[in-house]
Amino acid sequence: MKTYLEASDIPTTPLGGIEIPRLIMGIHPYDGCSYQNPERDAQNGRAFNRVDAVTRVLRCAVEEAGLTAVQVDHMLPELDRLHLQAVCETQQQTQTQIGMVAYILIPVTLDGEIVSYSSRAHSTFYAHDERLGGEAFRRKIAADEIVRYNANSDPAALVTPATVAPYTAADAARFEIDYGILEQYLGFFAGCDILVADPGAEIDLLAMTGRFDLIREYIAFLRTRFDTVITSVHHAGVTIPLLEAENIPVDGYLTTVNRPGTFMFPTPELALDAIANASKPVIAIKPMAGGRYLGEQAFDYVFNEVGVAASMFGMGTMEQVRETTGAARRVLGIN
Protein backbone atom coordinates (compact mmCIF):
# COMPACT_ATOMS: atom_id res chain seq x y z
CA MET A 1 0.00 0.00 0.00
CA LYS A 2 1.33 3.43 -0.94
CA THR A 3 1.54 6.07 1.75
CA TYR A 4 -0.59 9.19 1.53
CA LEU A 5 2.50 11.07 0.34
CA GLU A 6 3.72 8.50 -2.20
CA ALA A 7 0.32 8.25 -3.90
CA SER A 8 -0.24 11.96 -4.49
CA ASP A 9 1.14 14.80 -6.58
CA ILE A 10 -0.52 17.41 -4.36
CA PRO A 11 2.08 19.78 -2.84
CA THR A 12 2.58 19.39 0.89
CA THR A 13 3.17 21.76 3.78
CA PRO A 14 4.82 21.19 7.19
CA LEU A 15 2.45 20.68 10.11
CA GLY A 16 4.14 19.88 13.39
CA GLY A 17 6.51 17.05 12.61
CA ILE A 18 4.73 15.82 9.47
CA GLU A 19 3.97 16.89 5.92
CA ILE A 20 0.31 17.27 5.01
CA PRO A 21 -1.20 17.73 1.53
CA ARG A 22 -2.36 21.26 0.81
CA LEU A 23 -5.73 19.89 -0.37
CA ILE A 24 -7.82 17.88 2.11
CA MET A 25 -11.24 16.30 1.62
CA GLY A 26 -13.88 17.57 4.06
CA ILE A 27 -16.58 15.40 5.59
CA HIS A 28 -19.52 17.44 4.28
CA PRO A 29 -21.88 16.53 2.64
CA TYR A 30 -21.37 12.86 3.59
CA ASP A 31 -22.68 13.62 7.09
CA GLY A 32 -25.77 15.25 5.59
CA CYS A 33 -24.65 18.87 6.06
CA SER A 34 -25.24 21.08 3.02
CA TYR A 35 -24.95 24.60 4.51
CA GLN A 36 -27.90 25.36 2.23
CA ASN A 37 -31.26 24.27 3.68
CA PRO A 38 -33.00 21.33 5.42
CA GLU A 39 -34.20 19.91 2.10
CA ARG A 40 -30.65 19.62 0.80
CA ASP A 41 -29.56 18.11 4.11
CA ALA A 42 -32.25 15.45 3.76
CA GLN A 43 -31.17 14.74 0.18
CA ASN A 44 -27.59 14.30 1.34
CA GLY A 45 -28.70 11.96 4.09
CA ARG A 46 -30.44 9.77 1.54
CA ALA A 47 -27.61 9.97 -1.01
CA PHE A 48 -24.87 8.96 1.42
CA ASN A 49 -26.59 6.37 3.61
CA ARG A 50 -24.65 3.51 2.00
CA VAL A 51 -20.93 2.88 2.20
CA ASP A 52 -20.59 2.12 -1.51
CA ALA A 53 -22.17 5.46 -2.48
CA VAL A 54 -19.50 7.34 -0.52
CA THR A 55 -16.68 5.01 -1.56
CA ARG A 56 -17.30 5.69 -5.26
CA VAL A 57 -16.78 9.42 -4.76
CA LEU A 58 -13.77 9.02 -2.47
CA ARG A 59 -12.15 6.62 -4.92
CA CYS A 60 -12.59 9.19 -7.70
CA ALA A 61 -10.95 11.81 -5.47
CA VAL A 62 -7.97 9.55 -4.74
CA GLU A 63 -7.42 8.08 -8.21
CA GLU A 64 -8.27 11.06 -10.41
CA ALA A 65 -7.42 14.06 -8.23
CA GLY A 66 -4.65 12.71 -6.01
CA LEU A 67 -6.42 13.61 -2.76
CA THR A 68 -5.03 11.44 0.02
CA ALA A 69 -6.08 13.27 3.20
CA VAL A 70 -9.59 13.44 4.62
CA GLN A 71 -11.47 14.79 7.61
CA VAL A 72 -13.29 12.22 9.77
CA ASP A 73 -15.76 12.98 12.55
CA HIS A 74 -17.76 11.28 15.30
CA MET A 75 -20.52 13.77 16.12
CA LEU A 76 -23.24 12.20 13.92
CA PRO A 77 -22.52 8.51 14.55
CA GLU A 78 -24.68 6.90 11.86
CA LEU A 79 -23.47 8.81 8.80
CA ASP A 80 -20.00 9.47 10.25
CA ARG A 81 -19.46 5.73 10.75
CA LEU A 82 -20.55 5.06 7.18
CA HIS A 83 -18.09 7.71 6.02
CA LEU A 84 -15.28 6.22 8.11
CA GLN A 85 -16.01 2.77 6.68
CA ALA A 86 -15.99 4.25 3.17
CA VAL A 87 -12.55 5.77 3.83
CA CYS A 88 -11.29 2.33 4.91
CA GLU A 89 -12.89 0.68 1.85
CA THR A 90 -11.30 3.28 -0.43
CA GLN A 91 -7.88 2.60 1.09
CA GLN A 92 -8.24 -1.11 0.35
CA GLN A 93 -9.61 -0.65 -3.17
CA THR A 94 -6.93 1.86 -4.17
CA GLN A 95 -4.13 0.37 -2.06
CA THR A 96 -3.48 3.90 -0.88
CA GLN A 97 -3.19 5.17 2.67
CA ILE A 98 -5.54 8.09 3.32
CA GLY A 99 -4.31 10.44 6.03
CA MET A 100 -7.15 11.09 8.49
CA VAL A 101 -7.72 14.42 10.22
CA ALA A 102 -9.96 13.51 13.15
CA TYR A 103 -12.32 16.15 14.55
CA ILE A 104 -12.71 15.37 18.26
CA LEU A 105 -15.37 17.15 20.30
CA ILE A 106 -14.10 18.49 23.63
CA PRO A 107 -16.60 17.33 26.30
CA VAL A 108 -16.60 20.50 28.41
CA THR A 109 -18.93 20.09 31.38
CA LEU A 110 -20.46 22.39 33.99
CA ASP A 111 -21.72 20.64 37.12
CA GLY A 112 -21.70 17.33 35.25
CA GLU A 113 -23.62 18.54 32.17
CA ILE A 114 -21.94 18.86 28.76
CA VAL A 115 -22.05 22.50 27.68
CA SER A 116 -20.41 22.15 24.24
CA TYR A 117 -22.77 23.74 21.69
CA SER A 118 -25.17 24.86 24.44
CA SER A 119 -27.21 28.02 24.00
CA ARG A 120 -25.23 29.68 26.82
CA ALA A 121 -21.99 28.90 24.96
CA HIS A 122 -23.36 30.63 21.85
CA SER A 123 -24.42 33.59 23.98
CA THR A 124 -20.88 33.78 25.37
CA PHE A 125 -19.48 33.79 21.83
CA TYR A 126 -21.87 36.57 20.86
CA ALA A 127 -20.86 38.70 23.84
CA HIS A 128 -17.15 38.41 23.05
CA ASP A 129 -17.61 38.94 19.31
CA GLU A 130 -19.77 42.00 19.87
CA ARG A 131 -17.23 43.42 22.30
CA LEU A 132 -14.53 43.21 19.66
CA GLY A 133 -16.53 43.74 16.47
CA GLY A 134 -19.29 46.04 17.68
CA GLU A 135 -21.81 47.21 15.10
CA ALA A 136 -19.83 45.61 12.26
CA PHE A 137 -20.24 42.23 13.98
CA ARG A 138 -23.98 42.74 14.48
CA ARG A 139 -24.44 43.58 10.80
CA LYS A 140 -22.30 40.64 9.78
CA ILE A 141 -24.05 38.02 11.89
CA ALA A 142 -27.49 39.26 10.83
CA ALA A 143 -26.61 38.73 7.16
CA ASP A 144 -24.38 35.63 7.35
CA GLU A 145 -25.75 32.81 5.16
CA ILE A 146 -24.40 29.94 7.25
CA VAL A 147 -25.63 31.53 10.48
CA ARG A 148 -29.03 31.75 8.79
CA TYR A 149 -28.76 28.08 7.80
CA ASN A 150 -27.85 27.06 11.36
CA ALA A 151 -30.85 29.03 12.67
CA ASN A 152 -33.18 27.46 10.07
CA SER A 153 -33.70 30.90 8.51
CA ASP A 154 -35.38 32.14 11.69
CA PRO A 155 -33.76 35.38 12.97
CA ALA A 156 -35.54 34.88 16.28
CA ALA A 157 -33.56 31.66 16.80
CA LEU A 158 -30.27 33.57 17.05
CA VAL A 159 -28.99 33.34 20.62
CA THR A 160 -27.75 36.61 22.12
CA PRO A 161 -27.00 37.78 25.68
CA ALA A 162 -30.38 39.52 25.57
CA THR A 163 -32.15 36.16 25.26
CA VAL A 164 -29.78 33.73 27.02
CA ALA A 165 -27.32 34.50 29.82
CA PRO A 166 -23.64 34.01 28.87
CA TYR A 167 -21.41 31.96 31.14
CA THR A 168 -20.00 34.01 33.98
CA ALA A 169 -16.50 33.87 35.43
CA ALA A 170 -17.90 31.83 38.32
CA ASP A 171 -19.46 29.37 35.86
CA ALA A 172 -16.22 29.07 33.89
CA ALA A 173 -14.26 28.37 37.06
CA ARG A 174 -16.33 25.17 37.40
CA PHE A 175 -15.78 23.97 33.84
CA GLU A 176 -14.23 20.52 33.59
CA ILE A 177 -13.38 18.09 30.78
CA ASP A 178 -14.99 14.67 31.07
CA TYR A 179 -12.22 12.30 30.04
CA GLY A 180 -14.49 9.28 30.35
CA ILE A 181 -16.72 10.66 27.62
CA LEU A 182 -13.64 11.67 25.65
CA GLU A 183 -12.48 8.04 25.69
CA GLN A 184 -15.83 7.10 24.15
CA TYR A 185 -15.29 9.66 21.41
CA LEU A 186 -11.79 8.36 20.73
CA GLY A 187 -13.16 4.81 20.62
CA PHE A 188 -15.09 5.82 17.51
CA PHE A 189 -11.75 5.93 15.69
CA ALA A 190 -10.42 2.64 17.10
CA GLY A 191 -8.25 0.85 14.54
CA CYS A 192 -7.76 3.99 12.43
CA ASP A 193 -4.34 5.48 11.78
CA ILE A 194 -5.07 9.11 12.67
CA LEU A 195 -2.65 11.52 11.03
CA VAL A 196 -3.84 14.70 12.78
CA ALA A 197 -5.99 15.16 15.89
CA ASP A 198 -8.24 18.22 15.71
CA PRO A 199 -9.84 19.33 18.99
CA GLY A 200 -13.26 20.80 18.39
CA ALA A 201 -14.17 24.45 18.38
CA GLU A 202 -15.09 24.27 22.08
CA ILE A 203 -11.60 25.75 22.28
CA ASP A 204 -13.40 29.04 21.54
CA LEU A 205 -15.44 28.75 24.74
CA LEU A 206 -12.46 27.79 26.89
CA ALA A 207 -10.32 30.59 25.47
CA MET A 208 -13.02 33.26 25.78
CA THR A 209 -13.60 32.32 29.43
CA GLY A 210 -9.89 32.20 30.26
CA ARG A 211 -9.66 28.46 30.93
CA PHE A 212 -6.28 28.04 29.27
CA ASP A 213 -5.39 25.53 32.00
CA LEU A 214 -8.03 23.16 30.60
CA ILE A 215 -6.84 23.76 27.05
CA ARG A 216 -3.24 22.90 27.98
CA GLU A 217 -4.41 19.84 29.92
CA TYR A 218 -6.50 18.65 26.99
CA ILE A 219 -3.77 19.20 24.41
CA ALA A 220 -1.26 17.37 26.63
CA PHE A 221 -3.68 14.45 26.89
CA LEU A 222 -4.12 14.25 23.12
CA ARG A 223 -0.36 14.32 22.61
CA THR A 224 -0.12 11.06 24.55
CA ARG A 225 -2.19 9.50 21.72
CA PHE A 226 -1.36 11.56 18.62
CA ASP A 227 1.85 13.08 17.29
CA THR A 228 0.22 16.04 15.53
CA VAL A 229 -2.47 18.14 17.21
CA ILE A 230 -4.15 21.20 15.70
CA THR A 231 -7.33 22.95 16.82
CA SER A 232 -10.50 24.06 15.13
CA VAL A 233 -11.43 27.71 15.70
CA HIS A 234 -14.82 29.19 14.77
CA HIS A 235 -14.15 32.71 16.06
CA ALA A 236 -10.70 33.34 14.63
CA GLY A 237 -10.61 37.07 15.29
CA VAL A 238 -11.02 36.46 19.02
CA THR A 239 -9.64 33.00 19.69
CA ILE A 240 -6.46 32.85 17.63
CA PRO A 241 -4.94 35.97 19.29
CA LEU A 242 -5.87 34.55 22.72
CA LEU A 243 -4.22 31.21 21.95
CA GLU A 244 -1.18 32.93 20.51
CA ALA A 245 -0.80 35.20 23.56
CA GLU A 246 -0.93 32.15 25.82
CA ASN A 247 1.48 30.19 23.59
CA ILE A 248 -0.88 27.20 23.48
CA PRO A 249 1.17 24.27 22.08
CA VAL A 250 -0.84 23.27 19.02
CA ASP A 251 0.68 22.61 15.60
CA GLY A 252 -1.81 24.68 13.64
CA TYR A 253 -5.28 26.18 13.35
CA LEU A 254 -8.25 25.07 11.26
CA THR A 255 -10.68 27.91 10.59
CA THR A 256 -13.06 29.41 8.03
CA VAL A 257 -11.53 31.47 5.20
CA ASN A 258 -13.41 32.60 2.10
CA ARG A 259 -13.68 35.79 0.08
CA PRO A 260 -17.36 36.50 0.93
CA GLY A 261 -16.42 36.34 4.62
CA THR A 262 -19.13 33.79 5.34
CA PHE A 263 -18.91 32.34 8.88
CA MET A 264 -15.79 34.39 9.71
CA PHE A 265 -16.14 35.97 13.17
CA PRO A 266 -16.36 38.52 14.72
CA THR A 267 -15.88 40.11 11.28
CA PRO A 268 -13.95 38.93 8.22
CA GLU A 269 -11.47 41.77 8.71
CA LEU A 270 -10.67 40.79 12.31
CA ALA A 271 -10.47 37.10 11.40
CA LEU A 272 -8.08 37.80 8.52
CA ASP A 273 -5.89 39.98 10.72
CA ALA A 274 -5.63 37.17 13.29
CA ILE A 275 -4.83 34.63 10.56
CA ALA A 276 -2.17 36.89 9.04
CA ASN A 277 -0.46 37.27 12.42
CA ALA A 278 -0.70 33.63 13.51
CA SER A 279 2.62 31.92 14.24
CA LYS A 280 1.22 28.49 13.32
CA PRO A 281 0.04 27.16 9.94
CA VAL A 282 -3.62 27.79 9.10
CA ILE A 283 -5.84 25.28 7.29
CA ALA A 284 -8.78 26.99 5.62
CA ILE A 285 -12.23 25.44 5.79
CA LYS A 286 -15.33 26.54 3.87
CA PRO A 287 -13.23 28.14 1.09
CA MET A 288 -16.32 27.99 -1.14
CA ALA A 289 -18.52 29.65 1.52
CA GLY A 290 -20.78 26.64 1.83
CA GLY A 291 -21.25 26.25 -1.92
CA ARG A 292 -21.76 29.97 -2.60
CA TYR A 293 -18.38 30.93 -4.11
CA LEU A 294 -17.07 28.29 -6.50
CA GLY A 295 -14.23 27.56 -8.86
CA GLU A 296 -10.67 28.81 -9.13
CA GLN A 297 -11.56 32.12 -7.52
CA ALA A 298 -12.18 30.36 -4.19
CA PHE A 299 -8.77 28.70 -4.09
CA ASP A 300 -6.94 31.68 -5.55
CA TYR A 301 -8.25 33.70 -2.62
CA VAL A 302 -7.30 31.31 0.20
CA PHE A 303 -3.91 30.30 -1.21
CA ASN A 304 -2.66 33.37 -3.05
CA GLU A 305 -4.35 36.29 -1.29
CA VAL A 306 -4.63 35.03 2.29
CA GLY A 307 -1.71 32.59 2.08
CA VAL A 308 -3.06 29.65 4.08
CA ALA A 309 -0.99 26.48 4.38
CA ALA A 310 -3.75 24.10 3.22
CA SER A 311 -7.47 23.98 2.51
CA MET A 312 -10.20 21.50 3.43
CA PHE A 313 -13.35 21.40 1.30
CA GLY A 314 -16.38 19.22 0.65
CA MET A 315 -17.45 17.44 -2.55
CA GLY A 316 -20.49 15.20 -2.82
CA THR A 317 -20.41 13.79 -6.36
CA MET A 318 -17.77 12.67 -8.83
CA GLU A 319 -18.65 15.67 -10.99
CA GLN A 320 -18.01 17.97 -8.04
CA VAL A 321 -14.73 16.18 -7.33
CA ARG A 322 -13.57 16.77 -10.88
CA GLU A 323 -14.71 20.40 -11.04
CA THR A 324 -13.53 21.45 -7.58
CA THR A 325 -10.23 19.62 -7.49
CA GLY A 326 -9.51 20.71 -11.05
CA ALA A 327 -9.90 24.32 -9.97
CA ALA A 328 -7.78 23.80 -6.86
CA ARG A 329 -5.05 21.97 -8.74
CA ARG A 330 -4.81 24.71 -11.35
CA VAL A 331 -4.40 27.35 -8.66
CA LEU A 332 -1.61 25.29 -7.08
CA GLY A 333 0.04 24.89 -10.47
CA ILE A 334 -0.49 21.12 -10.80
CA ASN A 335 -1.10 19.74 -14.28
Side-chain angles (χ1 to χ4, degrees), residues 13 29 39 57 59 69 75 79 83 99-100 102 117 122 130 138 141 154 191 194-195 202 204-205 228 233 236 292 301:
T13 188
E39 292 74 22
V57 183
R59 183 165 180 171
M75 291 177 62
L79 288 176
H83 176 254
M100 301 185 200
Y117 290 96
H122 288 297
E130 184 178 37
R138 291 190 293 276
I141 201 167
D154 180 9
I194 301 301
L195 182 67
E202 301 75 41
D204 290 306
L205 178 62
T228 304
V233 175
R292 298 171 178 85
Y301 180 73

Side-chain angles (χ1 to χ4, degrees), residues 197-320:
D198 174 24
E202 301 75 41
I203 289 281
D204 290 306
L205 178 62
L206 295 177
M208 289 182 191
T209 55
R211 292 304 309 270
F212 300 104
D213 57 324
L214 289 184
I215 295 176
R216 289 191 176 89
E217 174 189 293
Y218 183 81
I219 298 298
F221 173 84
L222 288 181
R223 287 202 182 277
T224 67
R225 308 291 185 90
F226 309 103
D227 292 333
T228 304
V229 179
I230 63 174
T231 187
S232 286
V233 175
H234 282 170
H235 301 257
V238 175
T239 305
I240 290 179
L242 289 172
L243 299 178
E244 291 275 300
E246 291 288 328
N247 196 28
I248 297 300
V250 292
D251 296 312
Y253 305 112
L254 187 147
T255 194
T256 303
V257 184
N258 56 69
R259 184 183 289 278
T262 306
F263 218 63
M264 296 176 67
F265 302 120
T267 66
E269 294 76 16
L270 288 168
L272 289 170
D273 183 67
I275 290 165
N277 288 287
S279 64
K280 311 288 177 62
V282 172
I283 299 173
I285 58 174
K286 302 179 181 65
M288 296 178 286
R292 298 171 178 85
Y293 189 74
L294 306 178
E296 290 185 32
Q297 59 183 352
F299 296 99
D300 182 65
Y301 180 73
V302 297
F303 286 123
N304 296 331
E305 294 194 38
V306 179
V308 300
S311 183
M312 178 184 290
F313 50 94
M315 306 162 292
T317 66
M318 286 186 281
E319 181 181 7
Q320 289 173 353

Side-chain angles (χ1 to χ4, degrees), residues 5 42 74 90 126 183 188 334:
L5 294 176
H74 65 88
T90 303
Y126 191 106
E183 289 288 2
F188 189 87
I334 315 168

Side-chain angles (χ1 to χ4, degrees), residues 121-137:
H122 288 297
S123 180
T124 303
F125 299 151
Y126 191 106
H128 278 261
D129 283 353
E130 184 178 37
R131 192 174 307 144
L132 191 61
E135 177 60 28
F137 160 71

